[in-house]
Amino acid sequence: MPTLNKIREITLRVLQDYPEVAARYQAGDPTIVAPLASMQHFVAELSRDVSISELEPFTKSREATILADAANKGILPIATACQHTIEVINNGKNTVSLLSGRMIEDGYGRAWRLLQTANVAAGQMVEVLAEQSEIREINYQPVLSEPFHNYTLPLSTDLALVSLSVKDQDDNDYKFVTRWMNTLADERAITINTNSLRELILGFGDSNRFGQTLKNNTILTIQLLESYGYFDPSSLREASLQDVRNGFEQKLVVRFKEGALVRLGADPLSIDELRLLSSYPTYDENAVFLGNHDFLVRKTFMARTFFVSVWNEAVNEIYYGGNYRSINKMFVSFVAKNDNEKAALGQEISHYVEKVDNFYLNNTVLIEPQERAFSIRIDATIAAVHDAETVKEQIKTLLLGYYGKGKIAASYFLSNGFNSKEITRLLEKNIAAFQDRTSDFKLFVEDTEKNPIKPNQWLFMTEASISTNIKVLKTSIGESKWSVI
C-alpha cells in the first residue's frame, strides 16, 4: 500500500495538469494545501488499515478491527447482573413489608434491587433475592418521520447495559429482532446494533417493507436495566435501604448472607474474548441453517464460564462411539466461574440452545467436564549472558499467563491441542533470551493422535506440565559473552 510520501508524489504529478493550482500548492496556499493534506493523510491511514487487514484475515489483532468485526457479528456489549441473597432483620415491634423493586445499597455505594417481596415480622429474619442493577428510563421523540430511523442510546459511563424494553405512548411494546428477515410490514419491531465505539444503536424499520416507520409524533419510553457487571462478591457485608420511608423501617438491619451468592456478575466481553469470537467464520445467528451453536453459546455465556464446549451427535460419535441415545442430541460441557450457579447456568444454556434451534427441545445433554493438563517440553540453548533458571521461570510464567487454567486460550474445545506456531511466536516475542541470533529452541508437545482430546476435556497448561531443558552456550577464554544481534 502507498505510504504518505508516495501519496504526496502522486499528488504533485497530478497537479502538473493544473499549473495555477500547482503553483499555489508549492507556495503553501492554505486554501489548497489544507484540503489536499487532509485527504493525503486519510488515504495513508486507510492504506495502513488495508495492509493490516490483509495480514489478519482470520485472527484479528488490532483493537479497531476486533471491535469492527464484533459489530458486524452483532456481539453487543451486554453485562450480567450479580444476584445475591439478602437477610432482612426486623428489630422493631411491628411487621414491615419491603416490596419487590425496593432499592438497597452495599458498602461501596452500589445499588441493588429486591427481586422478591419481604414481609418481616417483629423480631424475625427473612431472606430475599436481590440483584445489583438499576432501572433508568429515557423518553425519546424523533424530529422527523423517516424509514430506518436510528437512535443511539445514551449509556451511563460506569454502568453496562443488561437489558432494555421499548414502548410507545399507547403502551405498545416493540419486539426485538436480530435481522429484518421474516419481519412483517408495519410490525412494531426494532433491532439493536453496535459499532466500533461500543455504542448501542436502536434501528427502526420501514412500514412499506418490514418493521414500522418511526413517526415524529411517537413518544418512546426506553427502559434500561444497567449494572456494574463483575466485582468481587467476597467483600459484600452490610447494606442499607436507599430510602427509609417510615420509622418502622429504621429498625431494619439489612445485610448480605454469607456464602449465598446466586449469580456472579459479568462485564461485557473484553477485547481478548472478542478476539476469540472474531475467529469464527460466521455473520449470522441462525443456528438452524448454519450450525453455529458453539458460537452462539460462547457469545452469550463466555463471560460467565471458564470453559464451554458444544457439539452434536456426529462429533459425539467420533470421540465416544455410536449410541442410539445420542441421536438428535446436542451436548454441552462447561465450567462455571461461580460453582454455586452451576445448576442454574446449565439450565440457562439448555434453554438457550432450545431457543435458537427448537429441534433440540428437551434434547440438550449436559456432560460433566474433565480437567486435562497439556504436556509441553522446550529444549533451548541461550547465550552465556543469560541465566538459565531465570529463563525457565520466564517461560513458565509466560505460558501459564496465556494457556493456564481459566485463561481465554483454554476456554474452548481444542481437538489438536494448543497451536505450536502460536506458542513459538509467543516465546520469540516475549522471551528476551530468544531474540538474538545465537539462541535457539525447539518445541515438543504431546501426541494428541494417540491420546485424543475429547470435547468435554478442559485443556490447560500447569506448572508441572511444562518442562524445560535450557543450556547455556559455552564460550572460549577471552571470547565475549554477548551474542550477535
Side-chain angles (χ1 to χ4, degrees):
M1 294 299 167
T3 62
L4 182 59
N5 289 333
K6 184 65 175 179
I7 295 171
R8 287 171 176 167
E9 291 178 8
I10 296 173
T11 303
L12 290 174
R13 288 201 301 267
V14 173
L15 288 177
Q16 298 307 312
D17 296 333
Y18 308 92
E20 294 182 3
V21 178
R24 293 170 61 187
Y25 179 78
Q26 294 286 358
D29 185 346
T31 60
I32 300 297
V33 174
L36 287 178
S38 63
M39 287 186 283
Q40 290 168 350
H41 283 272
F42 175 78
V43 174
E45 291 295 326
L46 182 61
S47 299
R48 188 179 295 109
D49 283 345
V50 172
S51 298
I52 293 175
S53 64
E54 290 178 349
L55 297 175
E56 49 176 30
F58 300 108
T59 304
K60 310 299 180 185
S61 59
R62 294 174 63 243
E63 183 173 324
T65 55
I66 293 171
L67 291 173
D69 196 69
N72 289 333
K73 289 185 169 72
I75 305 174
L76 303 176
I78 302 297
T80 301
C82 178
Q83 293 184 354
H84 205 289
T85 300
I86 304 292
E87 294 178 337
V88 182
I89 305 170
N90 187 0
N91 292 328
K93 298 181 180 180
N94 298 280
T95 300
V96 179
S97 294
L98 297 178
L99 298 180
S100 174
R102 283 291 297 271
M103 303 297 295
I104 66 173
E105 287 186 358
D106 59 22
Y108 295 88
R110 292 181 290 249
W112 295 70
R113 292 185 308 118
L114 297 184
L115 300 182
Q116 300 168 328
T117 297
N119 295 312
V120 193
Q124 299 296 316
M125 181 189 73
V126 172
E127 295 181 358
V128 293
L129 182 63
E131 181 180 87
Q132 194 287 298
S133 59
E134 304 176 30
I135 295 178
R136 182 165 60 94
E137 284 191 354
I138 299 174
N139 293 322
Y140 174 66
Q141 183 176 4
V143 178
L144 299 173
S145 298
E146 60 178 354
F148 302 113
H149 179 79
N150 288 331
Y151 171 60
T152 303
L153 285 173
L155 299 178
S156 301
T157 304
D158 299 328
L159 301 174
L161 182 68
V162 176
S163 63
L164 61 84
S165 62
V166 179
K167 294 183 177 181
D168 61 15
Q169 70 275 9
D170 298 323
D171 209 31
N172 295 313
D173 288 315
Y174 282 78
K175 76 170 187 177
F176 295 100
V177 294
T178 305
R179 301 285 187 271
W180 289 117
M181 184 181 297
N182 298 327
T183 304
L184 300 177
D186 208 34
E187 182 180 3
R188 289 186 180 86
I190 193 171
T191 62
I192 305 180
N193 299 307
T194 185
N195 55 24
S196 58
L197 299 178
R198 303 301 274 165
E199 296 174 329
L200 286 175
I201 303 166
L202 301 185
F204 297 84
D206 180 3
S207 298
N208 295 322
R209 285 176 278 186
F210 33 72
Q212 188 177 84
T213 302
L214 187 62
K215 299 179 180 179
N216 58 0
N217 61 350
T218 303
I219 301 176
L220 297 177
T221 300
I222 306 171
Q223 190 176 81
L224 306 176
L225 186 65
E226 298 170 306
S227 173
Y228 282 97
Y230 173 78
F231 55 86
D232 186 5
S234 63
S235 60
L236 296 174
R237 295 290 185 271
E238 301 298 327
S240 61
L241 291 173
Q242 201 171 68
D243 58 322
V244 179
R245 300 175 181 177
N246 52 57
F248 300 134
E249 292 183 354
Q250 292 180 347
K251 301 294 184 179
L252 297 179
V253 175
V254 184
R255 67 189 183 193
F256 291 90
K257 183 179 179 181
E258 187 175 356
L261 178 66
V262 177
R263 185 175 70 190
L264 188 66
D267 293 329
L269 295 177
S270 65
I271 291 297
D272 290 334
E273 291 169 330
L274 291 175
R275 180 182 290 110
L276 173 59
L277 290 175
S278 68
S279 63
Y280 282 78
T282 175
Y283 287 85
D284 200 302
E285 291 199 357
N286 197 319
V288 177
F289 296 107
L290 299 181
N292 298 325
H293 299 87
D294 184 67
F295 171 78
L296 292 177
V297 171
R298 186 169 306 283
K299 184 181 74 169
T300 307
F301 299 98
M302 186 178 186
R304 299 170 59 188
T305 58
F306 286 125
F307 168 79
V308 60
S309 176
V310 182
W311 67 97
N312 58 19
E313 61 175 293
V315 177
N316 194 75
E317 184 174 341
I318 294 173
Y319 291 96
Y320 304 98
N323 192 320
Y324 73 94
R325 298 180 184 273
S326 302
I327 297 177
N328 296 337
K329 293 290 193 299
M330 185 65 69
F331 301 88
V332 178
S333 184
F334 70 95
V335 178
K337 290 185 177 180
N338 175 29
D339 291 336
N340 294 334
E341 62 176 303
K342 179 180 178 181
L345 186 56
Q347 291 181 353
E348 285 188 53
I349 295 176
S350 298
H351 292 160
Y352 184 74
V353 172
E354 296 169 359
K355 175 184 175 182
V356 298
D357 191 348
N358 60 10
F359 179 77
Y360 294 104
L361 185 64
N362 299 321
N363 281 328
T364 302
V365 181
L366 298 179
I367 304 297
E368 193 68 22
Q370 298 177 355
E371 296 185 1
R372 174 170 171 174
F374 185 74
S375 299
I376 181 174
R377 190 180 89 245
I378 300 168
D379 293 345
T381 55
I382 58 176
V385 70
H386 300 288
D387 179 65
E389 293 302 320
T390 302
V391 175
K392 289 180 181 180
E393 290 301 319
Q394 290 175 348
I395 292 173
K396 289 188 176 183
T397 301
L398 177 65
L399 294 180
L400 292 177
Y402 277 82
Y403 304 103
K405 197 172 185 179
K407 302 302 179 181
I408 295 175
S411 64
Y412 58 100
F413 169 47
L414 296 154
S415 58
N416 298 316
F418 295 114
N419 190 287
S420 299
K421 182 176 60 177
E422 292 182 357
I423 297 175
T424 300
R425 286 201 300 260
L426 185 68
L427 293 172
E428 290 177 342
K429 182 179 179 181
N430 295 277
I431 303 299
F434 294 155
Q435 294 174 355
D436 55 57
R437 295 180 180 177
T438 305
S439 64
D440 192 13
F441 69 89
K442 294 181 180 179
L443 198 65
F444 302 92
V445 297
E446 65 177 86
D447 189 354
T448 56
E449 292 290 335
K450 295 181 179 179
N451 185 17
I453 301 171
K454 297 182 179 180
N456 70 317
Q457 289 182 333
W458 181 19
L459 192 71
F460 51 82
M461 293 186 189
T462 64
E463 190 170 352
S465 69
I466 303 172
S467 61
T468 55
N469 181 21
I470 309 295
K471 296 181 179 179
V472 178
L473 289 172
K474 296 181 180 180
T475 57
S476 58
I477 298 176
E479 183 180 345
S480 173
K481 292 184 177 181
W482 295 100
S483 57
V484 178
I485 298 176

